[in-house]
Amino acid sequence: MKIQIIGFSGSGKTYLAKLLSSHFNIPALHLDGIHFIHNWEERDDISFENLIQQFLSKNDSWIIEGNYLSFATQRFLQCDILIFLNYNRFVCYHNCKKRYQQNKNKARDEMPINCIEKFDKEFKKWILWEGRKTNRKKKFKILVKNHSCSYEFKNRRQLHDFLKQQKILTK
């Protein structure tokens, strides 16, 4: 099984990847976790691409969460299931704020240890506007439309109902 999860910042891609990874007992790759290296410094493109390629070639089954649509594009062709978390910008903003409060002064588990959680002006702008530009949303929609097995969830309730139906969640 190969699952690709895309969506806006704060939509719950990491949560879903961890849940599915645990349920199906398959490895998950968190793209933000390998894209950033030290204090939110971005890894160079070649190294980033190589790390994704290594993960793809090493695993027969996998879950990849994160966007970075121009990197390792074959993951979109290889995945059996494509999930798009298309949540409202204000829900995502609230989720990011909550995540910041839970992880204040520390790095999240899936991130490099020195990438301390932040919720600064630049990130807020990304969540509310920059990360939702029309061409970016169109790319997401095209990926979903062109994939043979894709799901788009517009809120957490839709996702949870689906996960219950699939017997991934019991509550």
Side-chain angles (χ1 to χ4, degrees):
M1 177 178 298
K2 298 175 182 178
I3 302 170
Q4 173 65 55
I5 304 168
I6 59 175
F8 299 108
S9 297
S11 59
K13 296 181 301 290
T14 301
Y15 161 81
L16 181 58
K18 288 178 178 180
L19 177 71
L20 296 174
S21 175
S22 175
H23 180 79
F24 293 114
N25 195 29
I26 57 177
L29 178 63
H30 307 280
L31 293 182
D32 278 350
I34 62 168
H35 180 70
F36 296 102
I37 47 177
H38 176 73
N39 197 24
W40 297 101
E41 179 184 335
E42 295 181 44
R43 184 179 303 276
D44 69 89
D45 291 351
I46 293 170
S47 298
F48 183 51
E49 177 83 24
N50 287 339
L51 287 171
I52 300 169
Q53 295 295 346
Q54 288 171 20
F55 181 81
L56 290 171
S57 63
K58 181 179 159 185
N59 297 291
D60 293 328
S61 293
W62 47 257
I63 298 167
I64 298 178
E65 67 90 358
N67 301 320
Y68 302 97
L69 303 181
S70 61
F71 290 92
T73 56
Q74 77 275 17
R75 66 191 154 109
F76 295 103
L77 299 171
Q78 290 178 12
C79 70
D80 304 310
I81 300 169
L82 175 65
I83 298 172
F84 175 30
L85 301 180
N86 187 10
Y87 295 0
N88 175 291
R89 73 183 71 225
F90 300 109
V91 169
C92 292
Y93 183 91
H94 171 77
N95 290 344
C96 287
K97 185 176 181 181
K98 184 177 172 184
R99 180 175 71 196
Y100 170 73
Q101 291 166 341
Q102 291 171 340
N103 295 287
K104 197 172 189 177
N105 299 321
K106 63 181 181 178
R108 289 179 274 144
D109 295 341
E110 68 281 356
M111 296 300 291
I113 196 158
N114 49 12
C115 286
I116 305 303
E117 190 68 23
K118 61 182 182 174
F119 193 60
D120 58 10
K121 184 179 179 180
E122 181 181 335
F123 187 46
K124 292 172 186 177
K125 186 177 176 183
W126 173 260
I127 297 163
L128 293 172
W129 296 285
E130 297 297 322
R132 292 176 174 270
K133 289 189 174 176
T134 303
N135 64 341
R136 184 174 166 83
K137 289 195 279 188
K138 281 182 185 177
K139 287 178 184 177
F140 285 153
K141 292 284 193 176
I142 289 169
L143 283 169
V144 170
K145 181 182 175 189
N146 291 335
H147 198 278
S148 60
C149 184
S150 63
Y151 299 92
E152 178 179 352
F153 300 102
K154 297 199 177 194
N155 57 57
R156 191 159 276 164
R157 173 164 284 198
Q158 285 181 348
L159 174 63
H160 280 226
D161 289 347
F162 173 79
L163 295 172
K164 285 182 202 173
Q165 182 183 48
Q166 301 299 314
K167 298 186 179 3
I168 296 168
L169 283 180
T170 55
K171 300 178 189 178

